[in-house]
Amino acid sequence: MSYLSRVSGWLDRLVAVTMILLLAVMLAVTSAGVFWRYVLNSGLVWAEELSRLLLVWASFLGAASAVHRGAHISIAVLHDRLPPRARLWMTRVTDSLIIAFMGAIMWYGIKLLPVVHIRVAPTVSLTMDIPYLIIPVSAGIMIFQILVRMLTSADPPEEEP
């Protein structure tokens, strides 16, 4: 099962690098938009829309990365008071529910793509299936990361203080 753990780690690094690149481009586009508007008294009509799309992609990828790192918010009052065996059972049930929910999101996200393909983002001339593609992609990454954790019996890594 160490192969799955390595693939999971590699995928998380790929997601993290992609997020960094998206945020760097978003920073550059937003800065250029501000410069054009306030220094050159002109506007980049596409800057705001592109920044918004990049933020959406980075946010969904951030959620997928948080699943791998075990960094999603949780209330552990009951979980921490249970004996280890019951705690493991509760974790498995919770993970199974998350997989089912992410499966539904992935399924309906895929079904949504042909519907939004006919729409075009007004200023960046991009068919809207490209921005919406992040929904099934991030759900699929989350499902994979949780399955790897379940199959390898690895608990999510502890957050650093």
Coordinates of all heavy atoms in Angstrom, one line a residue, residues 67-117:
V67 N -8.1 17.9 2.4 CA -8.5 16.6 2.7 C -7.3 15.7 2.9 O -7.2 14.9 3.9 CB -9.4 16.0 1.6 CG1 -9.5 14.5 1.7 CG2 -10.8 16.7 1.6
H68 N -6.3 15.8 2.1 CA -5.1 15.0 2.2 C -4.4 15.3 3.5 O -3.8 14.4 4.2 CB -4.1 15.3 1.0 CG -2.8 14.6 1.2 ND1 -2.6 13.3 1.0 CD2 -1.6 15.1 1.5 CE1 -1.4 13.0 1.2 NE2 -0.7 14.1 1.6
R69 N -4.3 16.5 3.9 CA -3.6 16.9 5.1 C -4.4 16.8 6.4 O -3.9 17.1 7.5 CB -3.1 18.4 4.9 CG -2.1 18.5 3.7 CD -2.0 20.0 3.3 NE -1.4 20.0 2.0 CZ -0.1 20.4 1.8 NH1 0.6 20.7 2.8 NH2 0.4 20.4 0.6
G70 N -5.7 16.5 6.3 CA -6.5 16.4 7.4 C -6.7 17.8 8.1 O -6.9 17.9 9.3
A71 N -6.8 18.8 7.3 CA -6.9 20.2 7.8 C -8.3 20.8 7.8 O -8.4 22.0 8.1 CB -5.9 21.0 7.0
H72 N -9.3 20.0 7.4 CA -10.6 20.6 7.4 C -11.1 20.8 8.8 O -10.7 20.0 9.8 CB -11.6 19.7 6.7 CG -11.6 19.9 5.2 ND1 -12.2 21.0 4.6 CD2 -11.0 19.2 4.2 CE1 -12.0 21.0 3.3 NE2 -11.3 19.9 3.0
I73 N -11.9 21.8 9.0 CA -12.4 22.1 10.4 C -13.3 20.9 10.8 O -14.0 20.3 10.1 CB -13.2 23.4 10.4 CG1 -13.6 23.8 11.8 CG2 -14.5 23.3 9.5 CD1 -14.1 25.2 11.9
S74 N -13.2 20.6 12.1 CA -14.0 19.5 12.7 C -14.3 19.8 14.2 O -13.5 20.5 14.8 CB -13.4 18.2 12.5 OG -12.2 18.1 13.2
I75 N -15.3 19.2 14.7 CA -15.6 19.3 16.1 C -15.3 17.9 16.7 O -16.1 16.9 16.4 CB -17.1 19.7 16.3 CG1 -17.3 21.1 15.7 CG2 -17.4 19.7 17.8 CD1 -18.7 21.6 15.7
A76 N -14.3 17.8 17.5 CA -13.8 16.5 17.9 C -14.2 16.1 19.3 O -13.6 15.3 19.9 CB -12.3 16.4 17.7
V77 N -15.2 16.8 19.9 CA -15.5 16.6 21.3 C -15.9 15.1 21.5 O -15.3 14.5 22.4 CB -16.7 17.5 21.7 CG1 -17.1 17.2 23.1 CG2 -16.2 19.0 21.6
L78 N -16.8 14.6 20.8 CA -17.2 13.2 20.9 C -16.1 12.3 20.5 O -15.8 11.3 21.1 CB -18.5 12.9 20.1 CG -19.0 11.5 20.1 CD1 -19.4 11.0 21.5 CD2 -20.2 11.4 19.2
H79 N -15.6 12.5 19.3 CA -14.5 11.7 18.7 C -13.4 11.5 19.7 O -12.9 10.3 19.9 CB -14.0 12.3 17.4 CG -13.0 11.5 16.7 ND1 -11.7 11.7 16.9 CD2 -13.2 10.6 15.7 CE1 -11.0 10.8 16.1 NE2 -11.9 10.1 15.4
D80 N -12.9 12.5 20.4 CA -11.8 12.4 21.3 C -12.1 11.6 22.5 O -11.2 11.1 23.2 CB -11.2 13.8 21.6 CG -10.6 14.5 20.4 OD1 -10.3 13.8 19.4 OD2 -10.4 15.7 20.5
R81 N -13.3 11.5 22.9 CA -13.7 10.8 24.1 C -14.0 9.3 23.9 O -14.2 8.6 24.9 CB -14.9 11.5 24.8 CG -14.6 12.9 25.2 CD -15.8 13.5 25.8 NE -15.5 14.9 26.1 CZ -16.1 15.6 27.1 NH1 -17.1 15.0 27.8 NH2 -15.8 16.8 27.3
L82 N -14.0 8.9 22.7 CA -14.3 7.5 22.4 C -13.1 6.6 22.6 O -11.9 7.1 22.4 CB -14.8 7.4 21.0 CG -16.2 8.0 20.6 CD1 -16.4 7.9 19.1 CD2 -17.3 7.3 21.4
P83 N -13.2 5.3 22.8 CA -12.1 4.4 22.8 C -11.6 4.3 21.4 O -12.3 4.5 20.4 CB -12.7 3.1 23.4 CG -14.2 3.2 23.3 CD -14.5 4.7 23.2
P84 N -10.3 3.9 21.3 CA -9.7 3.8 20.0 C -10.5 3.0 18.9 O -10.5 3.5 17.8 CB -8.3 3.2 20.2 CG -8.0 3.5 21.7 CD -9.4 3.5 22.3
R85 N -11.0 1.9 19.3 CA -11.8 1.1 18.3 C -13.0 1.9 17.8 O -13.3 1.9 16.6 CB -12.1 -0.2 18.9 CG -12.5 -1.3 18.0 CD -12.5 -2.6 18.7 NE -12.9 -3.7 17.9 CZ -12.2 -4.3 17.0 NH1 -10.9 -3.9 16.8 NH2 -12.6 -5.3 16.3
A86 N -13.7 2.5 18.7 CA -14.9 3.3 18.3 C -14.5 4.5 17.5 O -15.2 4.9 16.6 CB -15.7 3.6 19.6
R87 N -13.4 5.1 17.9 CA -12.9 6.3 17.2 C -12.6 5.9 15.7 O -12.9 6.6 14.8 CB -11.6 6.8 17.9 CG -11.3 8.2 17.5 CD -10.1 8.7 18.2 NE -10.2 8.4 19.7 CZ -9.2 8.2 20.5 NH1 -8.0 8.2 20.0 NH2 -9.4 7.9 21.8
L88 N -12.0 4.7 15.5 CA -11.7 4.3 14.2 C -13.0 4.0 13.4 O -13.1 4.4 12.2 CB -10.8 3.0 14.2 CG -10.4 2.4 12.8 CD1 -9.6 3.4 12.0 CD2 -9.7 1.1 13.0
W89 N -13.9 3.4 14.0 CA -15.2 3.1 13.4 C -15.9 4.5 13.0 O -16.4 4.6 11.9 CB -16.1 2.3 14.3 CG -17.5 2.0 13.8 CD1 -17.8 1.0 13.0 CD2 -18.6 2.8 14.0 NE1 -19.1 1.1 12.6 CE2 -19.7 2.2 13.3 CE3 -19.0 3.9 14.7 CZ2 -21.0 2.7 13.2 CZ3 -20.3 4.4 14.7 CH2 -21.2 3.8 13.9
M90 N -15.9 5.4 13.9 CA -16.5 6.7 13.6 C -15.8 7.4 12.5 O -16.4 8.0 11.6 CB -16.5 7.6 14.9 CG -17.2 8.9 14.7 SD -17.2 9.8 16.3 CE -18.3 11.1 15.9
T91 N -14.5 7.3 12.4 CA -13.7 7.9 11.3 C -14.1 7.3 10.0 O -14.3 8.0 9.0 CB -12.2 7.8 11.6 OG1 -11.9 8.4 12.8 CG2 -11.4 8.4 10.5
R92 N -14.2 5.9 10.0 CA -14.6 5.2 8.8 C -16.0 5.6 8.3 O -16.2 5.8 7.1 CB -14.5 3.7 9.0 CG -13.1 3.2 9.3 CD -12.2 3.4 8.1 NE -10.9 2.8 8.3 CZ -9.8 3.5 8.2 NH1 -9.8 4.7 7.8 NH2 -8.6 2.9 8.5
V93 N -16.9 5.7 9.2 CA -18.3 6.1 8.8 C -18.3 7.5 8.3 O -18.9 7.8 7.2 CB -19.2 6.0 10.0 CG1 -20.6 6.7 9.7 CG2 -19.4 4.5 10.4
T94 N -17.6 8.4 8.9 CA -17.5 9.8 8.5 C -16.8 9.9 7.1 O -17.3 10.5 6.2 CB -16.7 10.7 9.5 OG1 -17.3 10.6 10.7 CG2 -16.6 12.1 9.0
D95 N -15.7 9.2 6.9 CA -15.1 9.1 5.6 C -16.0 8.6 4.5 O -16.0 9.1 3.4 CB -13.8 8.3 5.7 CG -12.6 9.1 6.3 OD1 -12.8 10.3 6.5 OD2 -11.6 8.4 6.7
S96 N -16.7 7.5 4.8 CA -17.7 6.9 3.9 C -18.8 7.9 3.5 O -19.1 8.0 2.3 CB -18.3 5.7 4.4 OG -17.3 4.7 4.7
L97 N -19.3 8.7 4.4 CA -20.3 9.7 4.1 C -19.7 10.8 3.2 O -20.4 11.3 2.3 CB -20.8 10.3 5.4 CG -21.7 9.3 6.2 CD1 -22.1 10.0 7.6 CD2 -23.0 9.0 5.5
I98 N -18.5 11.2 3.5 CA -17.8 12.2 2.7 C -17.6 11.7 1.3 O -17.8 12.4 0.3 CB -16.5 12.7 3.3 CG1 -16.8 13.4 4.7 CG2 -15.7 13.6 2.4 CD1 -15.5 13.7 5.5
I99 N -17.2 10.4 1.1 CA -17.0 9.9 -0.2 C -18.3 9.8 -0.9 O -18.4 10.2 -2.1 CB -16.4 8.4 -0.1 CG1 -14.9 8.5 0.3 CG2 -16.6 7.7 -1.4 CD1 -14.3 7.2 0.6
A100 N -19.4 9.5 -0.3 CA -20.7 9.5 -0.9 C -21.1 10.9 -1.4 O -21.6 11.1 -2.5 CB -21.8 8.9 0.0
F101 N -20.9 11.8 -0.5 CA -21.3 13.2 -0.8 C -20.4 13.7 -2.0 O -20.9 14.4 -2.9 CB -21.1 14.1 0.4 CG -21.5 15.5 0.2 CD1 -22.8 15.9 0.0 CD2 -20.5 16.5 0.2 CE1 -23.1 17.2 -0.2 CE2 -20.8 17.9 0.0 CZ -22.1 18.2 -0.2
M102 N -19.1 13.5 -1.9 CA -18.2 13.9 -3.0 C -18.5 13.2 -4.3 O -18.4 13.7 -5.4 CB -16.7 13.7 -2.6 CG -16.2 14.7 -1.6 SD -16.3 16.4 -2.3 CE -17.2 17.2 -1.0
G103 N -19.0 11.9 -4.2 CA -19.4 11.2 -5.4 C -20.5 11.8 -6.1 O -20.6 12.0 -7.3
A104 N -21.5 12.3 -5.3 CA -22.7 13.0 -5.8 C -22.3 14.3 -6.5 O -22.7 14.6 -7.5 CB -23.7 13.2 -4.7
I105 N -21.4 15.0 -5.8 CA -20.9 16.3 -6.4 C -20.1 16.0 -7.7 O -20.3 16.8 -8.6 CB -20.0 17.0 -5.3 CG1 -20.9 17.6 -4.2 CG2 -19.2 18.1 -6.0 CD1 -20.1 18.3 -3.1
M106 N -19.3 15.0 -7.7 CA -18.6 14.7 -8.9 C -19.6 14.3 -10.0 O -19.4 14.8 -11.2 CB -17.6 13.6 -8.7 CG -16.7 13.3 -9.8 SD -15.3 12.3 -9.4 CE -16.0 10.7 -9.5
W107 N -20.5 13.4 -9.7 CA -21.5 13.0 -10.7 C -22.3 14.2 -11.3 O -22.4 14.3 -12.5 CB -22.5 12.0 -10.1 CG -23.6 11.6 -10.9 CD1 -24.9 12.1 -10.9 CD2 -23.6 10.7 -12.0 NE1 -25.7 11.5 -11.9 CE2 -24.9 10.7 -12.6 CE3 -22.6 9.9 -12.6 CZ2 -25.2 9.9 -13.7 CZ3 -22.9 9.1 -13.7 CH2 -24.2 9.1 -14.2
Y108 N -22.8 15.0 -10.4 CA -23.6 16.1 -10.9 C -22.7 17.2 -11.6 O -23.2 17.9 -12.4 CB -24.5 16.7 -9.8 CG -25.7 15.8 -9.6 CD1 -25.7 15.0 -8.4 CD2 -26.7 15.7 -10.5 CE1 -26.8 14.1 -8.2 CE2 -27.8 14.8 -10.3 CZ -27.8 14.0 -9.1 OH -28.8 13.2 -8.9
G109 N -21.5 17.3 -11.1 CA -20.5 18.2 -11.7 C -20.2 17.8 -13.2 O -20.2 18.7 -14.1
I110 N -20.1 16.5 -13.4 CA -19.9 16.0 -14.7 C -21.1 16.2 -15.6 O -21.0 16.6 -16.8 CB -19.5 14.5 -14.7 CG1 -18.1 14.4 -14.1 CG2 -19.5 13.9 -16.1 CD1 -17.7 13.0 -13.8
K111 N -22.3 16.0 -15.0 CA -23.5 16.2 -15.8 C -23.8 17.7 -16.1 O -24.4 18.0 -17.1 CB -24.7 15.7 -15.0 CG -24.8 14.2 -14.9 CD -26.0 13.7 -14.2 CE -27.2 14.0 -15.0 NZ -28.5 13.3 -14.5
L112 N -23.2 18.6 -15.3 CA -23.4 20.0 -15.5 C -22.5 20.5 -16.7 O -22.8 21.5 -17.3 CB -23.0 20.8 -14.2 CG -23.1 22.3 -14.2 CD1 -24.6 22.7 -14.4 CD2 -22.5 22.8 -12.9
L113 N -21.4 19.9 -16.9 CA -20.4 20.4 -17.9 C -21.0 20.6 -19.3 O -20.8 21.7 -19.9 CB -19.2 19.5 -18.0 CG -18.3 19.5 -16.8 CD1 -17.2 18.5 -16.9 CD2 -17.8 20.9 -16.5
P114 N -21.8 19.7 -19.9 CA -22.4 20.0 -21.2 C -23.4 21.1 -21.2 O -23.5 21.8 -22.2 CB -23.1 18.6 -21.6 CG -22.5 17.6 -20.7 CD -22.0 18.3 -19.5
V115 N -24.0 21.3 -20.1 CA -25.0 22.4 -20.0 C -24.4 23.7 -20.0 O -24.8 24.6 -20.7 CB -25.9 22.2 -18.7 CG1 -26.8 23.4 -18.5 CG2 -26.6 20.9 -18.7
V116 N -23.2 23.9 -19.3 CA -22.6 25.2 -19.2 C -21.6 25.4 -20.4 O -21.1 26.5 -20.6 CB -21.9 25.4 -17.9 CG1 -22.8 25.4 -16.8 CG2 -20.8 24.3 -17.7
H117 N -21.4 24.3 -21.2 CA -20.4 24.5 -22.3 C -20.9 25.5 -23.3 O -20.1 26.2 -24.0 CB -20.2 23.2 -23.0 CG -19.4 23.2 -24.3 ND1 -18.0 23.5 -24.2 CD2 -19.7 23.2 -25.6 CE1 -17.5 23.5 -25.4 NE2 -18.5 23.4 -26.3

